Amino acid sequence: MPVIQPGGKVLVSGANGFIAVWVLQTLLEKGYSVRGTVRSASKAAHLDSLFKEKYAEKWEWVIVADITKEGAFDEAVKSVDAILHMASPFNYQITSPEEAIPPAVEGTVGILKSATKFGTGIKRIVVTSSIAAILEVGDMTVPHMFTEENWNNQAPALVEAHGADAGPLVVYCASKTLAEKAAWDYCKENKDKISWDLTTVNPSFVLGPILHEVASAEAINQSARDWYQAVLAPNSSGMSDERLAREPSGSYVDVRDAAAAHVLALEKEAAGGERFLISTNFYVYQAWLDVVQDVLPSIQAALPANIPVSRLASLPKGVRGAGKGAVRALDFDVRKAKRVLGMSYKSMAETAEDSLKDYLGRGW
Ligand code: NAP
């Protein structure tokens, strides 16, 4: 028996984010009712333009202006069957731990507390965590495979020791570790009071086409922007060939697969009490440059006619094949998500094709 089924109502926090809008679309297409939370009404206008006409009474949004405020989600959780908590700061412009850690931790614990008090019909809560809460950076010349058993205790220790000087990426990783740990601790401490179980989804770097509102290429969310800047930025990847060939020695997941994972994590009974690494492939950026060059001829007809030939010619090429055999220092064992959730993933070519059509089509 699925934990929840189409027809049920799901609360999605941070509903206007890159991954969240794909989650909304996936849920609505499957027949769920969805209530999204946004920080202000202006952030919901684009969501209404996507969903209001097509899904009428199945789509609604509410404002939760400050997720760190005690009881912020008390109203939002009423009369839903499940929650996907996605709101959390993710960007490398974070200037201090205070900017990221309180919203990540207090937002997560806050929504769990509200669900305990007012979410009488809630059966499952899925928190969007990250590989950031799992991986610790070690010797990058040695292959390493991470699993759901691993925790990133390194980032919180670095933030503890160095504060803002630990840097935005480390602060972000610490925020994800501390938020996820706080969620599991809350469930343990309150197991007699809660009617729901917890699942975390831990995606790797999320890439792919965009549904959320973005004003310009510079304003894309952090992960897709990194990809755009390395792979599609006109004239230059902004990285040396040597760096393109080796960095990041990490993994990505298509945003549509990440969205599907969230919905499966809500539905699958056996997912309760589990964390899931969600990731497609190890990559170096050069591999993306090669795939882009490979798919470009076949998708040119699908691109808007006004894209100048010079734009396509300007795409960075790097050195074909460089980086093959790069050390898989940050690799992930994703067998659990396949086994329990039934995850399968889009190919690199599919992600590249759809991202190209989307980003170039917007004139970026
Ligand atoms: P995104 O597009 O930047 O969306 C972030 C969402 O969180 C937005 O709705 C944003 O609202 C909200 N948010 C950010 N800071 C907030 C704060 N201080 N208070 C309340 N809400 C806040 O990012 P995303 O990539 O979709 O990320 C969504 C979730 O996935 C996050 O939990 C992130 O850690 C996780 N994740 C992302 C990746 C990735 O590669 N993208 C990988 C693993 C996990 P505003 O628009 O109002 O700022």
Side-chain angles (χ1 to χ4, degrees), residues 14 16 18-19 39 43 86 88 129 172 176 204 206 221 223:
N16 60 316
F18 171 50
I19 308 171
R39 287 206 267 185
K43 306 224 172 185
M86 309 194 73
S88 207
S129 188
Y172 169 68
K176 297 307 284 183
S204 57
V206 182
N221 87 303
S223 50

Side-chain angles (χ1 to χ4, degrees), residues 237-280:
S237 68
M239 290 191 199
S240 66
D241 287 346
E242 187 265 334
R243 201 180 150 200
L244 277 168
R246 75 179 155 80
E247 282 199 11
S249 58
S251 289
Y252 79 95
V253 58
D254 188 294
V255 66
R256 295 158 294 182
D257 294 334
H262 281 81
V263 178
L264 290 165
L266 280 180
E267 293 174 334
K268 298 279 183 184
E269 178 113 49
E274 303 288 343
R275 3 170 39 200
F276 292 99
L277 272 166
I278 302 296
S279 190
T280 305

Side-chain angles (χ1 to χ4, degrees), residues 239-353:
M239 290 191 199
S240 66
D241 287 346
E242 187 265 334
R243 201 180 150 200
L244 277 168
R246 75 179 155 80
E247 282 199 11
S249 58
S251 289
Y252 79 95
V253 58
D254 188 294
V255 66
R256 295 158 294 182
D257 294 334
H262 281 81
V263 178
L264 290 165
L266 280 180
E267 293 174 334
K268 298 279 183 184
E269 178 113 49
E274 303 288 343
R275 3 170 39 200
F276 292 99
L277 272 166
I278 302 296
S279 190
T280 305
N281 237 338
F282 169 83
Y283 72 97
V284 290
Y285 270 117
Q286 180 64 50
W288 284 110
L289 302 191
D290 296 346
V291 170
V292 165
Q293 291 302 321
D294 291 344
V295 301
L296 210 47
S298 66
I299 63 158
Q300 266 179 9
L303 295 173
N306 60 352
I307 295 178
V309 175
S310 58
R311 173 72 183 98
L312 301 183
S314 76
L315 296 178
K317 294 187 182 62
V319 178
R320 182 171 273 274
K324 274 194 182 139
V327 177
R328 299 169 82 102
L330 304 175
D331 210 356
F332 301 96
D333 179 347
V334 293
R335 286 175 296 178
K336 182 171 156 187
K338 189 173 181 199
R339 191 176 69 247
V340 180
L341 302 181
M343 278 304 295
S344 61
Y345 298 96
K346 294 187 189 308
S347 68
M348 205 170 189
E350 208 172 341
T351 302
E353 269 188 43

